[in-house]
Amino acid sequence: MNMPIAEAAHGDKRETVPSGRGSTRERVERSLRYALLTGRFVPGRPVTLRGLAQDLGVSPMPVREALRSLAAEKALDIKPNGRVQVPTMTPERLAEILKARLMLEPELATRAAGSLELADARALKELDDAIDLSIDGGDAETYMRLNHAFHFHVYRAARSEVLLPLVESLWLQFAPFMRIVYGRVGTAVLEDHHKEAIAAVAEGNAEALRAAIAADILGGMKLLQDAGYEAIPDTYSTKD
Amino acid sequence: MNMPIAEAAHGDKRETVPSGRGSTRERVERSLRYALLTGRFVPGRPVTLRGLAQDLGVSPMPVREALRSLAAEKALDIKPNGRVQVPTMTPERLAEILKARLMLEPELATRAAGSLELADARALKELDDAIDLSIDGGDAETYMRLNHAFHFHVYRAARSEVLLPLVESLWLQFAPFMRIVYGRVGTAVLEDHHKEAIAAVAEGNAEALRAAIAADILGGMKLLQDAGYEAIPDTYSTKD
DNA sequence: CGCTGAAAAATGTGATCACGTAGCGTAGAA
DNA sequence: TTCTACGCTACGTGATCACATTTTTCAGCG
């Protein structure tokens, strides 16, 4: 049986299809993206067309296209028999993602530095405060949403049409796994480098921003590698 | 009216849907990928669902999914009104693609070096000989197909599940533009660094392979930047 | 109690259709 | 001749259906 996506992490419904604008497929895709990014989808869990369609109250058609889209970004895995599932993580894959992030995201940060103003520093500060709260409160889902917002507020300023989609694809790939790890080790152990990043944005210091982002990535991903595979060896084949 | 994809570059039919295995959608997607990579799709040209479906002799359904897939990889552009077209190139986009390629592909080459054997060096040599022939013959389409095969023979050896798809996406993005440039300046001006790469593979010299690939990318992309925007200023809005 | 095989349920796929909309050619008026 | 407005055409979207295949369930046998 297919579990409604809202029940992936816990039981509440939330808004599975943000009533925002756009076509049905667009709303479905946004909804799935959000679910992936906040870890509502558990790695290894099968995802069915009709199941999702029913959960979202639409026909299977827009779901098909949305899934195909996400699969093309490697956010979902379509097995040879057509079955769709959230990709499972392996140490090799994780190492590759880390490498790719370290190459692309600092570059994006550097390019963004020129466009970021004091208003952005303030917005980032606000986000970071909320992030700290979610860490203290142990709210992994909120943390992931805000952390994504923090990073992409910076990256978007680079006005990059090429690098940004690549990075977005990477985030979609490790997010579900990240959520699992946080669920086990808790969010308390999280230490980010957002403060340095904010300071760098305020100063307009591109090099410092690059360094802060790189350190932030390294810290976060190291946690995944250590906690994800040493403390919790059976993480990647999680069945609900 | 929608022009059959086989007539995008010239008039012959070729096999638009390689009769290979897999589902209809898979064949359609392979066909479109091939057309994109060999430059049969002209940047800016509108692509219609029904048109492609008729050209390929299938229903619009598998075409829809294939287009959605390619669009997610930024190989096609779906405008807000739903219209699909081959993305047009801009100097900024091209510069970004070059940057991304220079970050990702040499890394892939380094990782591949360990797995590449003498048999691979021989296979690459054969490919390169054919490439030289296609350059002399001015056959841009064949050149592009073989050049892609050459690079990805190397990259695939890295057994990368993360980096490789990112690079594939990049190739799909610049290939149509590349084809336009070759059509104008001819293939004679092409100078690659395949010989060095082959030698590096034969020696198992990872660092030399990385350098050869980096040089090859730099050379090819510089040509696009120079010839694509200085000699031919109106390239990116090409209407059939 | 465990294994096996058949029936049943569920899944992805591809096709067809209806609908609303955007693009475009054409005719009419200024 | 040029601009405008109307009507036609073609398009993407979403829904529904039929079909083949796979997965699951469960009853019967060993």
Side-chain angles (χ1 to χ4, degrees), chain A residues 36 39 41-43 86-90 94 144 172-183 221 223-225 227-229 232 235-236:
Chain A
L36 250 354
F41 277 169
V42 181
V86 184
T88 56
M89 188 56 74
T90 67
L94 190 57
M144 292 186 65
L172 286 168
Q173 289 184 55
F174 71 77
F177 176 70
M178 198 178 198
R179 177 64 184 82
I180 300 280
V181 174
Y182 292 165
M221 297 295 277
L223 171 67
L224 291 194
Q225 293 190 321
Y229 286 107
I232 320 152
T235 307
Y236 27 114

Side-chain angles (χ1 to χ4, degrees), chain A residues 1-5 25 28 32 41 45-69 76-78 81-85, chain B residues 25 61 64-65:
Chain A
M1 197 45 187
N2 205 338
M3 202 188 296
I5 71 171
R25 183 201 58 78
V28 169
L32 295 182
F41 277 169
R45 179 141 82 81
V47 170
T48 67
L49 264 152
R50 287 174 170 86
L52 270 162
Q54 189 167 348
D55 293 348
L56 301 175
V58 299
S59 88
M61 183 63 54
V63 178
R64 276 164 70 169
E65 297 193 35
L67 290 184
R68 199 57 75 176
S69 223
L76 290 174
D77 193 34
I78 301 191
N81 60 0
R83 238 60 171 223
V84 181
Q85 68 166 35
Chain B
R25 182 201 59 78
M61 184 64 52
R64 277 163 70 170
E65 298 194 34

Side-chain angles (χ1 to χ4, degrees), chain B residues 16-92:
Chain B
T16 50
V17 177
S19 46
R21 289 303 170 78
S23 64
T24 305
R25 182 201 59 78
E26 224 170 304
R27 292 198 307 275
V28 169
E29 191 171 330
R30 253 203 312 276
S31 172
L32 295 182
R33 269 203 154 71
Y34 182 82
L36 250 355
L37 283 174
T38 54
R40 300 250 274 282
F41 276 168
V42 181
R45 180 140 82 83
V47 172
T48 67
L49 265 155
R50 288 173 169 88
L52 271 169
Q54 190 167 348
D55 293 347
L56 301 175
V58 300
S59 89
M61 184 64 52
V63 178
R64 277 163 70 170
E65 298 194 34
L67 289 185
R68 201 55 76 178
S69 222
L70 271 333
E73 300 182 53
K74 308 300 170 189
L76 290 174
D77 193 33
I78 301 191
K79 321 255 295 210
N81 60 3
R83 239 58 171 226
V84 181
Q85 68 167 34
V86 184
T88 56
M89 188 57 73
T90 66
E92 294 76 25

Side-chain angles (χ1 to χ4, degrees), chain A residues 25 61 64-65 68-69 72 74 93 96-97 99-100 103-104 107 111 160-163 165 170, chain B residues 25 61 64-65 68-69 72 74 93 96-97 99-100 103-104 107 111 160-163 165 170:
Chain A
R25 183 201 58 78
M61 183 63 54
R64 276 164 70 169
E65 297 193 35
R68 199 57 75 176
S69 223
K74 309 300 171 189
R93 237 166 71 86
E96 264 197 75
I97 292 176
K99 185 80 179 182
M103 290 192 285
L104 300 175
E107 170 66 22
R111 287 170 184 244
S160 161
E161 302 172 32
V162 178
L163 264 29
L170 293 174
Chain B
R25 182 201 59 78
M61 184 64 52
R64 277 163 70 170
E65 298 194 34
R68 201 55 76 178
S69 222
K74 308 300 170 189
R93 238 166 72 85
E96 265 197 75
I97 292 175
K99 185 80 181 184
M103 290 191 286
L104 300 175
E107 170 66 23
R111 288 170 183 245
S160 161
E161 303 171 31
V162 178
L163 264 29
L170 292 174

Side-chain angles (χ1 to χ4, degrees), chain A residues 4-231:
Chain A
I5 71 171
E7 298 181 16
H10 33 48
D12 64 343
K13 261 288 179 197
R14 301 226 176 180
E15 59 174 352
T16 51
V17 176
S19 45
R21 292 302 170 77
S23 65
T24 305
R25 183 201 58 78
E26 227 170 301
R27 291 199 307 276
V28 169
E29 191 171 330
R30 252 203 312 277
S31 172
L32 295 182
R33 270 202 153 71
Y34 181 83
L36 250 354
L37 247 16
T38 55
R40 301 251 272 284
F41 277 169
V42 181
R45 179 141 82 81
V47 170
T48 67
L49 264 152
R50 287 174 170 86
L52 270 162
Q54 189 167 348
D55 293 348
L56 301 175
V58 299
S59 88
M61 183 63 54
V63 178
R64 276 164 70 169
E65 297 193 35
L67 290 184
R68 199 57 75 176
S69 223
L70 270 333
E73 300 182 53
K74 309 300 171 189
L76 290 174
D77 193 34
I78 301 191
K79 323 253 295 211
N81 60 0
R83 238 60 171 223
V84 181
Q85 68 166 35
V86 184
T88 56
M89 188 56 74
T90 67
E92 293 77 24
R93 237 166 71 86
L94 190 57
E96 264 197 75
I97 292 176
L98 168 59
K99 185 80 179 182
R101 289 191 65 192
L102 280 176
M103 290 192 285
L104 300 175
E105 294 183 39
E107 170 66 22
L108 224 32
T110 303
R111 287 170 184 244
S115 311
L116 289 167
E117 305 173 0
L118 243 67
D120 294 300
R122 276 193 295 272
L124 291 172
K125 176 77 169 64
E126 244 179 78
L127 275 173
D128 191 46
D129 288 344
I131 287 174
D132 286 340
L133 249 73
S134 68
I135 291 178
D136 293 341
D139 185 349
E141 192 170 320
T142 299
Y143 166 75
M144 292 186 65
R145 176 171 56 82
L146 294 176
N147 188 47
H148 178 271
F150 184 94
H151 278 258
F152 279 77
H153 183 112
V154 173
Y155 301 156
R156 248 188 302 275
R159 305 233 178 287
S160 161
E161 302 172 32
V162 178
L163 264 29
L164 192 64
L166 298 183
V167 170
E168 178 73 22
S169 164
L170 293 174
W171 277 66
L172 286 168
Q173 289 184 55
F174 71 77
F177 176 70
M178 198 178 198
R179 177 64 184 82
I180 300 280
V181 174
Y182 292 165
R184 301 287 208 281
V185 307
T187 52
V189 296
L190 283 171
E191 47 158 330
D192 56 48
H193 296 252
H194 292 176
K195 306 281 183 293
E196 296 98 297
I198 295 172
V201 168
E203 302 168 12
N205 186 338
E207 189 44 49
L209 181 57
R210 165 188 279 267
I213 293 295
D216 191 73
I217 295 169
L218 215 47
M221 297 295 277
K222 277 298 175 199
L223 171 67
L224 291 194
Q225 293 190 321
D226 298 345
Y229 286 107
E230 290 178 7

